[in-house]
Amino acid sequence: MNKESRRKLTRREFLGVTKAAAVGGVIAAGVVGAAAGYFAGTGAAPAKTVTRTTTVTQAGAPTTITKTVEVPAAEKLKVGYVYVGPVGDFGWTYAHDQGRQWADQRFKNVESKYVESVPEAEVGGALESLIAEGAKLIFTTSFGYMDATAEFAEKNPDVYFVHISGYRSGAAGNAPENMSAAFAEFYQLYYLNGLAAGAVTETGVVGYVAAHPIPEVVRHINAFALGANYAYKKRTGKNIKCYVDWLFSWFDPGKTRTAAQALVEEKNADVLAFTEDSPTTLQVAQEYWEKGKRVWSLSHYSDMTQYGPDAHLTGQIVNWGPIYLDFYKMVATGTWQSVDIWTRIGDYLPWRWRLPVEKSTAGKPEGTVYLAPLNPAIPSEWQEEIKRRYEEMKELLFEPFSPEGNLGEPIRDQDGEVRIGPGERADHDMLWSMDWHVEYVETPLPR
Amino acid sequence: MALLPIRFERRLTYTRTAAILTTILAILLAFGAVAILFIILGLDVAAAFQTILNVFITPRLFFQAVVRGVPITLAALGLAIAFRMNFWNIGAEGQIYMGAFASTGIVLAHIYYGFLPEVLVLPTMFLTAFLAGGAWCLLPAVLKAKLNVNEILTTLMMNFIAILWVAYLIYGPWRDPEGFGFPLSIPFPDYAKFLFIAGNQAYTGFTITLIVAALIYLLFRYGKLGFELTVIGQSLDAARYAGINIAKAIVLGAFLSGGLAGIGGLSILSGIIGRLRPDLSPGYGYTAIIVSFLAALNPWLIVPAGIFFGGLFTAGEALQATLKIPGAAVEMFQSIIFIFIIFGEFLKRYRIVVGGGGSGG
């Protein structure tokens, strides 16, 4: 032993070693835990039976007895999905099917099946078929399936149900305990879209092609109009004007085309947001570009840049996968608990820390809801503003439905009544039952 | 270019046996064509047909078929009355919506004003759904009877008015105040729904269709109105000669026809959905047209035919869930069967004459 190794450790060295050991320990524990959890929870054995050989050495007589027993492998989790549209709609249902595949790839020991194009009032046959196929976990992915999902949850207590975009669940107390509710919420992204719109509009008019006048769509229109006004007013000192064209349908490319053209030609809008399950609005905007007129639009649910390479400003994108995977794990490990969750920016990220603007992940896939790539045509100071707000919202430091999101002014409705006053923020219930438009929306809300 | 040497001639007679054989043949050919479709898609045809059959022999799936078959059957029974007098009511869809509207009105009136004992709510809903559906068919009937306006157009266009009327109510005054603004009425209380016997609402609906089928059978077998409608359908001149009040009979028959579709609307709300909502019928009123022809306007046959179609819809979902067949292929499968049935009906009325010139038969 030499002298070196016997000398006393300095405090700094001790801390260094301890830190390394602690970090190493945490990492090692994490790796072991993850590996154990992975093999225990999901299993990687697709075979129907596993042969386990046990060798027993008996005391006294040195004979070795080899016993072979058939042990059933971890059973595949059977999952069913009910879709309202065709998986090829490149909108709502397409996004859900992408989420299903994302969750399946990561969970592995799962067999998922889906039934597509199921009319909202007629979900019973699809649910019965999936249950007959042995599904243990069923996702119903349209608002109109809510009551039937609750009814089937009551009739099938051994099957777990997750309803997307509704308000009934065991957690909310208005459905059985084997039913959960989940939703990936876009209003923050619509606000950021609004910022981008307000930053590029030349006419000061934005349009919105909207599906059904329900709170979800109403708050998205409001968030978009608020964002657009924020940017436009800061640029020019004038209020934005937002016009809405209602389709009363979730999927109608024909009507969408007419509506989008009307917003451009009759209302003079040069940015079009939309809630409709096809890229039609973006395509219409691109057609104007090809005719030499600058009209912008957005991505909806998935990256639609290819449908309007010039017209694509940014947009809202969803990945349902992490939400689905969570429910897979709950059911597989027997840790089901009825929940009523809505995910926003920052949820399902490895950490919830905001990044500096220059390192911002705005425009890159992450979590469950994220921003589509930002068009370089957006002026750089507004790109930075969008990134700053995006990062702030990861920690919920910024809320669009607050005076801060409206240049410090209280948020008023179309009648001029103050809905969100100084120091106030919209909460979940206000957002979920929103039945008024902000003052910048010119079109009255149908009722 | 010369015209194809094919003409269609109206048949004067077609025997009952031939008609039955044509229908059976059409269905067999339809399933043959479906088998070809499945082969093209690279599917196991036996497994696919087994899945379709399973819908009709697995109790839980069959109940779904019945639940969906009930509104189709009720509307088809109503259409049988209209079609027997050659009144081409294409408006069952709208009449379904009006029936749904009226029955919801009773539920809301009862909940907010409480003017009825609970046991009478469902019977009152039946009555108003019938009256509303019937009234919706009245305008086209009067226009037809008095001014000879084509009822195909009027009944069809009335559909859109009814659908939009329900949409207006549900996005407006009838929206559930506690429903987070979604376009739904308040949920129906249990006394306004079909009784859930053994956990399934199919029994109630099925019983209702049997009662209605029996009433229609009796109407045409023994009723004066039934006789008048049959004569009108076969020959207006004969009806006039017999001194039948044609206008009155047409209006009454159309009223009955629309009224039964209205009850079909009630059966969707009280038997399936449990509250009023837009898009409450995925085209049941149109499916009912095929059903009523498939059953040759015979009320007893309409009941199984309606359930058969309810089963076809359910089979579509079972095929997707079991064999992972895409939804579009399922729609093709259903459409193929519809087309063959319609073509069979066409052949019962017209004969195809190949080669020009020949004199008509």
Side-chain angles (χ1 to χ4, degrees):
Chain A
M1 286 192 183
N2 58 28
K3 205 181 167 200
E4 286 280 329
S5 64
R6 287 171 62 184
R7 76 184 165 86
K8 275 178 92 177
L9 287 166
T10 63
R11 188 165 171 272
R12 183 177 291 262
E13 277 167 337
F14 172 77
L15 281 177
V17 170
T18 325
K19 202 167 103 187
V23 170
V26 169
I27 292 172
V31 169
V32 170
Y38 177 79
F39 286 110
T42 66
K48 283 213 170 61
T49 56
V50 176
T51 307
R52 184 180 289 166
T53 307
T54 330
T55 308
V56 184
T57 311
Q58 285 180 323
T63 40
T64 303
I65 302 160
T66 305
K67 275 202 293 191
T68 305
V69 287
E70 299 277 294
V71 182
E75 226 177 279
K76 272 200 170 186
L77 178 67
K78 288 194 171 173
V79 183
Y81 288 82
V82 184
Y83 298 145
V84 71
V87 293
D89 67 359
F90 217 78
W92 174 257
T93 296
Y94 174 81
H96 281 288
D97 201 50
Q98 293 291 308
R100 175 183 71 86
Q101 292 173 21
W102 192 95
D104 283 5
Q105 276 161 17
R106 280 155 186 82
F107 194 78
K108 294 199 172 60
N109 195 24
V110 58
E111 187 187 359
S112 69
K113 288 179 167 172
Y114 64 82
V115 184
E116 60 180 335
S117 304
V118 177
E120 285 202 314
E122 294 300 302
V123 67
L127 290 175
E128 243 5 317
S129 302
L130 289 167
I131 292 169
E133 281 297 297
K136 278 280 151 277
L137 171 63
I138 295 179
F139 295 91
T140 51
T141 65
S142 187
F143 171 73
Y145 300 150
M146 182 174 67
D147 288 336
T149 307
E151 188 191 311
F152 271 73
E154 196 152 337
K155 277 198 285 183
N156 301 278
D158 52 338
V159 180
Y160 297 101
F161 293 86
V162 180
H163 177 247
I164 304 296
S165 76
Y167 55 85
R168 292 184 69 178
S169 65
N174 47 16
E177 279 301 318
N178 53 333
M179 176 169 170
S180 282
F183 196 60
E185 176 48 46
F186 274 159
Y187 77 93
Q188 299 166 310
L189 294 172
Y190 270 104
Y191 182 83
L192 299 175
N193 290 336
L195 290 180
V200 297
T201 179
E202 281 157 15
T203 59
V205 180
V206 294
Y208 199 116
V209 182
H212 285 282
I214 61 172
E216 177 195 336
V217 181
V218 171
R219 71 175 171 265
H220 291 171
I221 296 169
N222 285 344
F224 178 71
L226 273 181
N229 187 65
Y230 185 97
Y232 187 67
K233 196 166 190 175
K234 223 170 173 180
R235 272 174 60 211
T236 65
K238 285 184 285 187
N239 280 354
I240 200 96
K241 282 193 165 90
C242 177
Y243 290 94
V244 185
D245 210 318
W246 292 99
L247 302 172
F248 292 93
S249 168
W250 290 111
F251 180 74
D252 195 333
K255 253 169 125 175
T256 302
R257 172 167 292 278
T258 323
Q261 287 169 344
L263 285 168
V264 172
E265 300 191 1
E266 288 164 26
K267 307 291 185 197
N268 203 21
D270 64 353
V271 187
L272 300 175
F274 62 99
T275 307
E276 192 259 353
D277 292 350
S278 79
T280 309
T281 312
L282 180 57
Q283 286 171 319
V284 170
Q286 181 67 22
E287 283 162 20
Y288 280 110
W289 270 83
E290 275 149 26
K291 284 185 265 176
K293 185 172 174 157
R294 283 173 162 232
V295 178
W296 308 89
S297 191
L298 305 158
S299 274
H300 188 46
Y301 291 125
S302 45
D303 187 348
M304 295 178 169
T305 311
Q306 52 165 313
Y307 292 96
D310 301 311
H312 183 265
L313 202 53
T314 172
Q316 60 284 351
I317 301 188
V318 67
N319 177 12
W320 294 95
I323 301 176
Y324 292 158
L325 187 60
D326 246 14
F327 285 107
Y328 285 16
K329 287 177 180 163
M330 270 198 230
V331 172
T333 55
T335 52
W336 172 271
Q337 198 187 352
S338 175
V339 292
D340 182 357
I341 55 168
W342 57 313
T343 67
R344 290 183 284 179
I345 294 173
D347 288 318
Y348 285 96
L349 293 186
W351 51 76
R352 280 199 87 114
W353 304 332
R354 76 188 137 135
L355 301 170
V357 169
E358 61 275 13
K359 287 186 186 161
S360 171
T361 45
K364 298 195 182 77
E366 62 179 356
T368 55
V369 291
Y370 55 91
L371 214 52
L374 289 158
N375 191 322
I378 304 168
S380 61
E381 70 266 30
W382 287 104
Q383 299 233 12
E384 276 175 25
E385 179 79 9
I386 291 167
K387 286 175 180 171
R388 189 167 65 82
R389 290 304 196 193
Y390 181 84
E391 295 301 331
E392 283 176 359
M393 283 192 277
K394 284 184 181 171
E395 294 183 46
L396 300 178
L397 291 172
F398 171 69
E399 162 59 48
F401 284 102
S402 71
E404 196 191 348
N406 193 28
L407 293 160
E409 293 283 308
I411 294 176
R412 295 188 176 84
D413 65 16
Q414 289 173 311
D415 301 328
E417 194 188 321
V418 173
R419 292 289 187 152
I420 300 167
E424 287 178 355
R425 276 178 163 212
D427 60 3
H428 176 276
D429 281 1
M430 180 190 237
L431 294 169
W432 244 245
S433 52
M434 199 169 267
D435 60 351
W436 48 271
H437 271 319
V438 295
E439 56 184 313
Y440 315 116
V441 179
E442 299 287 320
T443 319
L445 184 60
R447 43 179 111 227
Chain B
M1 207 182 101
L3 284 168
L4 270 176
I6 291 180
R7 289 183 295 119
F8 303 108
E9 280 180 3
R10 198 172 168 82
R11 289 180 195 274
L12 294 179
T13 56
Y14 202 61
T15 65
R16 202 189 159 96
T17 328
I20 293 168
L21 284 177
T22 310
T23 301
I24 293 172
L25 193 68
I27 293 176
L28 286 178
L29 283 175
F31 277 99
V34 167
I36 294 170
L37 170 73
F38 287 158
I39 290 168
I40 294 170
L41 289 169
L43 293 169
D44 181 350
V45 178
F49 281 127
Q50 182 64 43
T51 307
I52 297 171
L53 182 66
N54 274 345
V55 170
F56 294 94
I57 56 177
T58 313
R60 291 183 62 161
L61 288 174
F62 185 62
F63 281 135
Q64 287 297 327
V66 175
V67 165
R68 287 168 140 183
V70 166
I72 300 175
T73 309
L74 286 168
L77 286 168
L79 292 181
I81 300 176
F83 293 164
R84 279 184 180 214
M85 61 168 178
N86 278 353
F87 181 88
W88 304 111
N89 178 9
I90 311 298
E93 185 77 358
Q95 292 142 19
I96 284 175
Y97 273 81
M98 291 315 279
F101 145 70
S103 40
T104 310
I106 294 298
V107 173
L108 294 179
H110 173 71
I111 286 177
Y112 290 116
Y113 305 105
F115 69 105
L116 278 172
E118 285 182 4
V119 284
L120 285 181
V121 170
L122 199 54
T124 315
M125 286 164 71
F126 267 98
L127 184 68
T128 50
F130 181 79
L131 293 176
W136 207 243
C137 203
L138 218 48
L139 182 66
V142 170
L143 287 174
K144 161 91 171 177
K146 297 290 178 198
L147 302 170
N148 206 21
V149 175
N150 186 332
E151 75 279 10
I152 297 177
L153 295 175
T154 50
T155 51
L156 179 65
M157 289 192 292
M158 297 283 279
N159 287 347
F160 301 104
I161 303 174
I163 292 167
L164 289 172
W165 168 240
V166 167
Y168 158 73
L169 288 173
I170 211 63
Y171 279 103
W174 285 10
R175 182 142 49 169
D176 179 359
E178 280 156 28
F180 293 95
F182 284 104
L184 297 172
S185 76
I186 54 172
F188 282 15
D190 281 346
Y191 54 80
K193 290 195 221 171
F194 287 177
L195 293 172
F196 282 32
I197 306 168
N200 202 294
Q201 57 273 62
Y203 296 103
T204 319
F206 183 64
T207 314
I208 294 165
T209 59
L210 282 186
I211 294 171
V212 172
L215 290 174
I216 293 177
Y217 171 77
L218 293 175
L219 172 73
F220 279 95
R221 189 86 174 75
Y222 301 107
K224 177 165 165 274
L225 179 65
F227 174 73
E228 290 177 348
L229 295 179
T230 312
V231 176
I232 290 171
Q234 278 168 356
S235 162
L236 270 179
D237 289 335
R240 224 170 268 130
Y241 186 70
I244 293 171
N245 184 342
I246 295 173
K248 189 179 151 201
I250 287 182
V251 169
L252 266 178
F255 187 81
L256 286 178
S257 174
L260 290 178
I263 292 182
L266 161 74
S267 81
I268 295 178
L269 297 194
S270 291
I272 308 177
I273 311 179
R275 53 167 110 186
L276 188 67
R277 51 159 296 152
D279 306 324
L280 58 95
S281 157
Y284 286 153
Y286 302 111
T287 311
I289 300 170
I290 306 180
V291 167
S292 107
F293 276 114
L294 174 66
L297 309 184
N298 176 332
W300 294 120
L301 292 179
I302 284 175
V303 178
I307 293 169
F308 173 69
F309 271 72
L312 282 185
F313 288 129
T314 310
E317 281 133 22
L319 283 170
Q320 288 196 49
T322 313
L323 300 176
K324 301 190 173 183
I325 297 180
V330 163
E331 280 168 26
M332 280 179 72
F333 142 71
Q334 287 159 346
S335 312
I336 285 173
I337 293 182
F338 294 0
I339 284 175
F340 272 81
I341 289 169
I342 293 166
F343 191 64
E345 291 308 313
F346 179 77
L347 285 185
K348 284 182 200 170
R349 286 178 180 71
Y350 294 88
R351 89 171 87 210
I352 300 171
V353 183
V354 185
S359 64

